[in-house]
Amino acid sequence: MEFGGPQECACGGQKRPRYAGYVSAKLPPPPKTDLCHALAMINSMESLEILGKLLYNAAINPKEEKFRRIKMSNPKINEKIVSVPGCIETLQLMGWQQQSDEEEGGDEFLAIAPGKYISMKDVRLIDGAKERVKKQEEQAAKDRLRAASAVKSRSSLGLLLSRSRHRYAIFVKDELRAAVLVKNKLRAAAAVKVKA
């Protein structure tokens, strides 16, 4: 039994307070926050890795300006963050604001609002999303393996059945030959009796 402060939801947002002294009833999970929905949209491990690095650097070095800005014109950022659904929304919900720099030709970038700091809690949210994507990839690999083994077992079953059919056909052919031989022997015996 856990005692203490507010309980956290799967994405890290606070749910409801816990009470000491009795076991609480099993309640349905609270509704997901907008941040949870934005993180759930990201299904690319590479994008989550880059988000994790960006947030980790901003959390560890909160005063350095180079970690408080993300240039959206950077090819890698554009490919792995800007073009992936949910990434920009996640950053904006964590406190990043979209701005443009008129001095450098109007390049757009994301920057952490002044007075706002990224915490390790935000980094752990990305780690949780990475675990989710990893589990999904593992499950997909298991499903592919299961499907491949099912196809293989079906083909081996088909081979087994075709071998069984072949053996049965040989058996039937042998039985027919034996029946014909018995029939011929009976005819020959009947012909010998008729002559005698």
Side-chain angles (χ1 to χ4, degrees):
M1 179 165 58
E2 295 184 42
F3 301 94
Q7 189 177 353
E8 291 188 9
C9 73
C11 74
Q14 291 190 351
K15 292 199 283 189
R16 52 184 147 314
R18 292 186 218 146
Y19 298 99
Y22 64 92
V23 178
S24 62
K26 191 167 193 164
L27 299 173
K32 289 187 174 183
T33 63
D34 292 338
L35 183 57
C36 290
H37 286 292
L39 278 171
M41 287 174 38
I42 305 171
N43 290 321
S44 167
M45 185 60 86
E46 295 89 13
S47 298
L48 289 170
E49 291 284 339
I50 292 173
L51 277 177
K53 287 178 187 175
L54 292 170
L55 292 172
Y56 178 79
N57 288 337
I60 296 299
N61 305 304
K63 303 261 181 189
E64 285 196 47
E65 200 57 38
K66 70 178 182 178
F67 295 125
R68 295 178 65 84
R69 290 175 53 133
I70 302 171
K71 263 189 163 180
M72 293 171 66
S73 60
N74 180 325
K76 192 170 186 177
I77 297 294
N78 195 1
E79 177 187 352
K80 302 291 183 186
I81 302 295
V82 176
S83 63
V84 175
C87 289
I88 297 294
E89 293 86 359
T90 298
L91 289 170
Q92 288 174 340
L93 289 168
M94 288 183 174
W96 297 74
Q97 296 175 343
Q98 195 165 352
Q99 301 172 356
S100 63
D101 195 2
E102 289 80 26
E103 296 173 5
E104 296 182 21
D107 284 344
E108 287 193 4
F109 62 92
L110 289 171
I112 300 173
K116 171 81 173 132
Y117 296 98
I118 301 299
S119 69
M120 289 306 288
K121 178 181 173 184
D122 297 328
V123 176
R124 286 191 301 271
L125 289 175
I126 300 298
D127 290 341
K130 285 195 274 189
E131 285 296 318
R132 175 188 51 84
V133 169
K134 183 180 176 183
K135 285 180 184 176
Q136 287 176 346
E137 289 173 353
E138 288 172 354
Q139 186 63 41
K142 285 179 185 177
D143 291 344
R144 283 192 302 272
L145 183 62
R146 199 173 294 127
S149 67
V151 167
K152 184 178 178 182
S153 68
R154 278 191 215 128
S155 65
S156 63
L157 179 63
L159 181 63
L160 182 65
L161 287 176
S162 66
R163 285 181 184 165
S164 297
R165 287 184 195 128
H166 180 68
R167 287 182 187 143
Y168 180 72
I170 291 172
F171 171 75
V172 169
K173 195 184 283 184
D174 290 343
E175 289 295 316
L176 285 174
R177 280 186 195 147
V180 168
L181 285 175
V182 168
K183 187 177 177 183
N184 289 340
K185 284 181 184 179
L186 290 174
R187 280 188 189 164
V192 170
K193 281 185 183 179
V194 170
K195 287 183 184 178

